[in-house]
């Protein structure tokens, strides 16, 4: 289907904005994204009835319809963002960072609590989590600051970025949201590494992270409970991960068949954080490996494009955004396989979750915008 589009678009709209977009956008990345979003809709159809039954919703496909709406909104937003050039994409990211930061500051007043954490704000009928949008926006901001530093070493870019990082981490911890704090730190460390900056600054970041983890474990009961459930499953409540492992083991190589899963009805968050376990139960190990391959292909293709870009800012930002997506996928898979403590993190482009889906599509839009083929953008032709 995608292969038939180029001739249609270029023949009817050679000089239109959409025609130029189609010729310049990385079609491999776009195709992988469409495959992932399509897979997410199929897996949402599989997981929605169980989630609706647990929460006593009359419509078994309530979460599928909700997911489809957010996918539609996300794809539209991704397309709009991908139309921008690198400069305007950067401006959109910086404005998003400022807006997310201000909303996070106001969360104690305008936010509402879910499961003991005040992370969400209601905008009309939608409940959005501003920290989801702050992550990719901060990565782009950090890449911009480091590119300025390369042009002019006298600019205190590293200090500015660190100040923004500490402020964001402080707001995330106050919610509390240690999962997003951890992911933001990984993405920031990756941009630091790609920029080739001082090892001393990385050690400072590592020190801040260690202190934060120890403080969270000592002062927050729910963090201590999650770590204990991971390290000592026989003495702590590990119901979610036990059910996830049961679902995975019952799926086998080919799965029980679409709609035939049974463990998913007793698996909390089977449509969000643990959708991979539902995938294995119903579609088996083979399809699950293909899903992982698609996620890996997206990250690899993005890194491949980043390495070929001429612009230093675009290189750093693209690589940092790819790292953000890749690390989120790895953390989610590790949690599903009981290789890491539960963190409440979605599987990119697959899990239900309005804020996560919109933010990931925003991230994908930035990647598409920064990697578009423009005169002088790449070191050599394809």
């Amino acid at each position: 289907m995608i292969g038939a589009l180029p001739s249609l678009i270029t023949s009817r709209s050679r000089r239109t904005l959409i025609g130029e977009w189609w010729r310049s956008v990385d079609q491999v990345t776009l195709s992988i994204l469409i495959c992932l979003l399509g897979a997410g809709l199929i897996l949402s159809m599989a997981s929605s009835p169980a989630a609706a039954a647990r929460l006593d919703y009359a419509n078994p496909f309530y979460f599928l319809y909700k997911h489809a709406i957010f996918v539609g909104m996300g794809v539209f937003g991704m397309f709009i963002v991908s139309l921008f050039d690198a400069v305007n994409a950067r401006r959109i990211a910086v404005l998003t960072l400022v807006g997310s930061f201000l909303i996070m500051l106001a969360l104690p007043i305008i936010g509402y609590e879910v499961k003991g954490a005040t992370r969400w704000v209601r905008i009309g009928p939608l409940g959005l989590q501003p920290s989801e949008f702050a992550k990719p926006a901060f990565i782009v901001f950090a890449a911009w600051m480091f590119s300025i530093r390369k042009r002019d070493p006298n600019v205190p870019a590293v200090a500015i970025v660190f100040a923004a990082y500490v402020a964001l981490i402080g707001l995330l911890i106050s919610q509390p949201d240690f999962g997003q704090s951890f992911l933001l730190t990984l993405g920031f460390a990756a941009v630091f590494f790609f920029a080739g900056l001082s090892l001393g600054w990385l050690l400072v970041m590592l020190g801040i992270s260690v202190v934060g983890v120890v403080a969270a474990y000592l002062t927050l009961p729910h963090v201590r409970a999650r770590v204990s459930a991971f390290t000592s499953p026989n003495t702590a409540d590990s119901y979610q991960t036990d059910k996830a492992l049961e679902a995975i083991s019952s799926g086998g190589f080919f799965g029980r068949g679409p709609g035939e899963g049974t463990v998913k009805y007793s698996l909390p968050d089977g449509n969000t954080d643990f959708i991979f376990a539902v995938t294995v139960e119903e579609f088996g190990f083979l399809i699950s490996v293909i899903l992982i391959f698609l996620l890996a292909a997206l990250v690899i293709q993005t890194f491949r494009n980043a390495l070929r870009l001429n612009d230093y800012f675009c290189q750093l930002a693209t690589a940092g955004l790819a790292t953000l997506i890749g690390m989120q996928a790895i953390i989610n898979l590790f949690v599903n396989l009981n290789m890491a403590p539960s963190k409440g993190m979605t599987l990119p482009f697959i899990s239900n979750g309005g804020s996560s889906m919109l933010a990931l599509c925003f991230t994908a839009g930035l990647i598409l915008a920064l990697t578009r083929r423009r005169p002088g953008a790449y070191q050599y032709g394809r």
Side-chain angles (χ1 to χ4, degrees):
M1 183 181 71
I2 295 173
L5 286 176
S7 59
L8 177 66
I9 292 174
T10 54
S11 62
R12 296 186 179 182
S13 54
R14 289 187 178 275
R15 298 184 180 276
T16 65
L17 181 65
I18 295 179
E20 289 299 320
W21 172 83
W22 178 259
R23 283 191 290 270
S24 62
V25 76
D26 183 65
Q27 294 169 15
V28 174
T29 303
L30 183 62
S31 299
I32 297 171
L33 285 166
I34 291 173
C35 289
L36 284 170
L37 291 167
L41 287 169
I42 294 172
L43 295 175
S44 182
M45 185 184 300
S47 62
S48 181
R54 284 197 310 274
L55 297 174
D56 295 325
Y57 284 103
N59 186 346
F61 294 108
Y62 169 83
F63 289 102
L64 169 63
Y65 299 149
K66 186 177 179 181
H67 182 66
I69 290 171
F70 280 111
V71 168
M73 293 171 59
V75 169
F76 178 75
M78 178 176 68
F79 170 68
I80 295 298
V81 173
S82 69
L83 290 172
F84 292 114
D85 58 22
V87 173
N88 286 312
R90 184 199 72 210
R91 290 170 178 167
I92 290 294
V94 173
L95 288 173
T96 301
L97 177 61
V98 172
S100 300
F101 185 83
L102 293 175
I103 295 173
M104 290 167 68
L105 272 176
L107 278 179
I109 302 172
I110 65 175
Y112 63 95
E113 184 177 313
V114 176
K115 296 182 179 179
T118 307
R119 305 171 187 168
W120 289 264
V121 62
R122 193 163 295 284
I123 301 176
L126 303 178
L128 296 179
Q129 188 175 347
S131 61
E132 292 279 7
F133 298 89
K135 290 181 305 183
F138 175 75
I139 293 300
V140 174
F141 171 74
W144 177 41
M145 285 289 100
F146 293 152
S147 66
I148 291 176
R149 178 184 180 274
K150 186 176 182 180
R151 293 196 303 268
D152 185 359
N154 294 320
V155 175
V158 177
I160 293 172
V161 173
F162 250 98
Y165 165 73
V166 171
L168 277 177
I169 290 295
L171 288 173
L172 287 169
I173 291 175
S174 68
Q175 294 179 2
D177 192 342
F178 285 91
Q180 299 292 359
S181 301
F182 182 66
L183 184 57
L184 180 68
T185 300
L186 290 176
F188 185 30
V191 176
F192 243 98
F193 176 78
F194 299 142
L197 295 179
S198 169
L199 179 61
W201 283 106
L202 287 175
L203 292 176
V204 169
M205 188 187 305
L206 178 62
I208 293 173
S209 302
V210 171
V211 170
V213 169
V214 173
Y217 181 81
L218 295 176
T219 60
L220 297 175
H222 76 280
V223 173
R224 188 160 54 250
R226 288 186 178 186
V227 174
S228 298
F230 175 70
T231 57
S232 306
N234 295 327
T235 59
D237 181 13
S238 57
Y239 179 81
Q240 277 188 312
T241 51
D242 289 344
K243 283 296 179 182
L245 291 175
E246 182 182 346
I248 291 171
S249 63
S250 68
F253 195 78
F254 295 107
R256 300 172 66 94
E260 299 299 319
T262 56
V263 181
K264 66 180 182 180
Y265 284 92
S266 56
L267 173 61
D269 301 322
N271 61 321
T272 54
D273 304 345
F274 289 93
I275 197 167
F276 181 75
V278 176
T279 302
V280 181
E281 182 184 20
E282 299 210 345
F283 295 93
F285 175 76
L286 181 62
I287 297 299
S288 302
V289 169
I290 294 174
L291 185 65
I292 295 172
F293 172 79
L294 283 173
L295 287 165
L298 174 63
V299 175
I300 292 170
Q301 176 65 12
T302 305
F303 269 113
R304 176 176 174 270
N305 287 333
L307 289 171
R308 295 172 51 212
L309 287 167
N310 278 322
D311 186 80
Y312 186 66
F313 158 70
C314 290
Q315 280 188 328
L316 287 182
T318 302
L321 293 171
T323 301
L324 208 60
I325 293 174
M327 292 310 303
Q328 180 168 335
I330 289 172
I331 291 170
N332 178 274
L333 293 172
F334 274 29
V335 169
N336 275 256
L337 297 171
N338 198 26
M339 297 171 65
S342 177
K343 290 184 179 296
M345 199 167 291
T346 58
L347 187 61
F349 305 105
I350 304 297
S351 298
N352 284 192
S355 292
S356 176
M357 179 58 68
L358 294 179
L360 283 162
C361 286
F362 174 61
T363 304
L366 289 171
I367 289 173
L368 292 173
L370 295 170
T371 58
R372 283 174 61 185
R373 294 188 295 276
R374 302 180 180 89
Y378 286 91
Q379 296 172 8
Y380 50 85
R382 294 195 171 192

